[in-house]
Amino acid sequence: MAREQWGTKLGFMLAAMGSAVGLGNIWRFSFVAGENGGGAFLLLYLVFVFLIGIPLLLTEVSIGRKAKSDVIGSYKTLAPRTPWFMTGFFGVCSAFLILSFYAVVAGWALYYFVNYVTGNFFQAPAEGGFEGAFGGFISQGWQPLFWSALFMTLTIIIVFSGVKKGIEMANKIFMPLLALLLIILAGFSLSLDGAMEGLAFLFQPDWSALTQPSIYIQALGQAFFSLSLGMGALLTYGSYLSDDKRLPSAAVGIGLMDTFFAVISGLVIFPAVFAFSIDPTSGPPLVFITLPSIFEQMPLGGIAGLLFFFALSLAALSSAISILEVPTAYFMRLFNWTRKKSSVIVGSIMFFLGIFVSLGFGIWADVTPIADFNILDSMDYIASNIFLPLGGLSMALFVGWYFAKPTALKAVDLKDDVFGNVWYALVKYLVPIMIIVIFISSIQ
Ligand code: VAL
């Protein structure tokens, strides 16, 4: 069977941006930044995106394009009879962990969307406000599971239809819509009383936060998560790309777009967080409490909320399909399964794992696998802060040290000039050193 391919480079770009821009930029970025001091976190995050993220993004896509195989098969093709294929296992494991909780949170977004359709959330519930409404919803057994199942079903259907067309099209419309809505929301949020405090929180780094080792690993994990890096999604998407498409501009474009969405969501969330006296360290529920409070105050806020949660659900969907694609492609090759069989089995396993995540907000709220982290936070920590960076480290070592320099440069479409040499030096030396240092210091 001929390997599937993207129609055009634009198609690939849109799919890769669709993968990158998702709950990570809005939901995860806000609460991780909120928990890690705001400004100092943002600064570190930006440094990591540019020095580590974008160079590795280019690297990851190029490995897939060169090998034309799944995340494990690619390393086996490029480095036969060596242990480099283990790099791919980090990707597959991360994909399983991440989509399991991602689908739960995306289910929350769907639930919010529907509550805006019915008008339920136009106004805060008299008792407990949005905080109470959200807490009440996620702590139930069946309700959140239903929404998560619905989201996972949609994801599976798109992946097994093999139609990137549909999602390419949807992204073309909804990414600009999401961007537009975020810009309007940021404008509104900034006009609230007390907004300046939020701006200061986000843009005036409290330098003392930098003495905390955990902020480095958190910022690194966020850069990987948000760029869809190290989970094999970009590698797998790259494998559907023909050799004549140039990569460097695509990688920079994807990285910049993703960063734009993160910064603009910061501008929406933090002014409002301070204006409504919400605790910035509220963790994963943060945006689900803050956003409805903004919409409630805004003229035509109900409509804005409806559009926003619709666009957010779609952004989550275009990210989720890229994660599901990773093990789906791997099992298709490994067991000779059809696309349909592979995606249904993998997706169902992930949904099953997600049940634990969801119940971690209800009857298993006191289950804390790591430190005082609940089930979602624990899975997220292992995947985002450990597996993704380790996969990235291994990938950098592979291209920097296993490949000869001309091979590495050719793989990413760079020449032996300034750009080529900067990229090469980053991937060969700086990226591995930075990741190792951050790891060691975070363990201490
Ligand atoms: N990068 C996406 C996001 O930020 C997913 C694939 C993790 O939501």
Side-chain angles (χ1 to χ4, degrees):
M1 198 173 65
R3 205 170 161 74
E4 296 149 276
Q5 273 203 356
W6 302 106
T8 57
K9 179 173 167 184
L10 182 68
F12 161 75
M13 289 277 292
L14 286 171
M17 283 177 185
S19 167
V21 177
L23 297 172
N25 306 64
I26 298 169
W27 162 73
R28 196 177 190 282
F29 174 81
S30 314
F31 85 77
V32 180
E35 282 175 342
N36 288 279
F41 174 88
L42 177 64
L43 192 80
L44 271 185
Y45 168 75
L46 292 176
V47 169
F48 292 161
V49 164
F50 287 98
L51 289 184
I52 300 180
I54 295 180
L56 277 186
L57 202 159
L58 176 59
T59 310
E60 181 168 338
V61 177
S62 77
I63 294 174
R65 185 184 65 166
K66 191 170 162 67
K68 306 264 181 316
S69 185
D70 56 88
V71 65
I72 291 175
S74 287
Y75 289 95
K76 288 199 164 161
T77 306
L78 298 178
R81 290 176 300 283
T82 64
W84 283 109
F85 70 90
M86 298 294 289
T87 313
F89 277 114
F90 285 113
V92 174
C93 294
S94 311
F96 267 96
L97 286 171
I98 293 176
L99 193 51
S100 304
F101 68 77
Y102 206 84
V104 172
V105 181
W108 300 346
L110 275 181
Y111 170 78
Y112 268 55
F113 164 61
V114 171
N115 273 285
Y116 275 100
V117 173
T118 57
N120 244 354
F121 275 5
F122 281 22
Q123 233 136 45
E127 232 172 277
F130 286 118
E131 204 165 344
F134 181 68
F137 163 64
I138 57 170
S139 60
Q140 289 171 24
W142 291 107
Q143 268 237 19
L145 283 178
F146 166 79
W147 294 103
S148 166
L150 181 65
F151 179 81
M152 193 58 111
T153 308
L154 293 173
T155 309
I156 293 174
I157 291 176
I158 295 173
V159 171
F160 86 52
S161 321
V163 272
K164 277 135 212 141
K165 280 266 157 14
I167 207 80
E168 276 179 45
M169 275 292 290
N171 275 328
K172 245 186 226 171
I173 302 168
F174 289 104
M175 292 247 295
L177 176 69
L178 189 64
L180 184 73
L181 282 167
L182 281 171
I183 293 171
I184 298 173
L185 283 177
F188 184 76
S189 191
L190 286 167
S191 74
L192 294 167
D193 275 345
M196 287 308 129
E197 223 181 308
L199 267 193
F201 179 77
L202 194 58
F203 291 116
Q204 273 177 9
D206 162 13
W207 300 112
S208 68
L210 294 179
T211 55
Q212 204 111 47
S214 62
I215 182 178
Y216 295 86
I217 193 93
Q218 293 286 1
L220 185 69
Q222 176 59 23
F224 272 85
F225 188 96
S226 189
L227 293 168
S228 299
L229 208 60
M231 51 189 90
L234 294 167
L235 189 153
T236 310
Y237 273 12
S239 75
Y240 304 129
L241 202 56
S242 58
D243 293 330
D244 54 345
K245 309 285 191 301
R246 284 189 45 81
L247 299 182
S249 54
V252 174
I254 298 163
L256 288 179
M257 174 70 109
D258 191 64
T259 310
F260 164 79
F261 272 93
V263 174
I264 195 93
S265 7
L267 284 177
V268 174
I269 305 296
F270 290 107
V273 159
F274 285 88
F276 299 127
S277 314
I278 297 167
D279 177 7
T281 65
S282 315
L286 185 68
V287 294
F288 289 95
I289 302 166
T290 313
L291 284 168
S293 315
I294 305 179
F295 295 128
E296 193 189 21
Q297 304 276 318
M298 231 174 118
L300 295 179
I303 309 289
L306 187 152
L307 287 174
F308 182 86
F309 281 105
F310 185 58
L312 183 65
S313 304
L314 271 169
L317 193 58
S318 61
S319 298
I321 57 170
S322 74
I323 313 178
L324 182 58
E325 181 69 23
V326 175
T328 298
Y330 171 53
F331 288 125
M332 277 168 72
R333 180 183 58 82
L334 189 68
F335 301 128
N336 227 335
W337 284 350
T338 59
R339 173 168 274 286
K340 190 167 185 171
K341 182 168 176 184
S342 191
S343 55
V344 171
I345 293 179
V346 174
S348 308
I349 297 173
M350 288 167 166
F351 171 70
F352 181 75
L353 289 173
I355 296 179
F356 296 88
V357 175
S358 189
L359 294 179
F361 291 93
I363 50 170
W364 289 341
D366 45 7
V367 178
T368 49
I370 302 180
D372 57 350
F373 292 170
N374 67 14
I375 300 177
L376 185 151
D377 290 335
S378 302
M379 283 169 72
D380 183 20
Y381 194 91
I382 296 173
S384 312
N385 296 354
I386 300 176
F387 285 5
L388 297 184
L390 282 185
L393 171 65
S394 184
M395 187 162 70
L397 294 175
F398 178 66
V399 172
W401 297 86
Y402 181 79
F403 280 0
K405 186 175 174 188
T407 318
L409 285 175
K410 187 162 180 281
V412 295
D413 299 329
L414 283 172
K415 294 195 198 63
D416 200 348
D417 56 11
V418 182
F419 290 118
N421 282 306
V422 168
W423 168 80
Y424 190 67
L426 286 174
V427 168
K428 186 165 177 142
Y429 303 107
L430 195 77
V431 169
I433 292 173
M434 282 173 76
I435 297 181
I436 291 170
V437 169
I438 293 171
F439 255 94
I440 295 179
S441 63
S442 81
I443 291 168
Q444 283 175 346

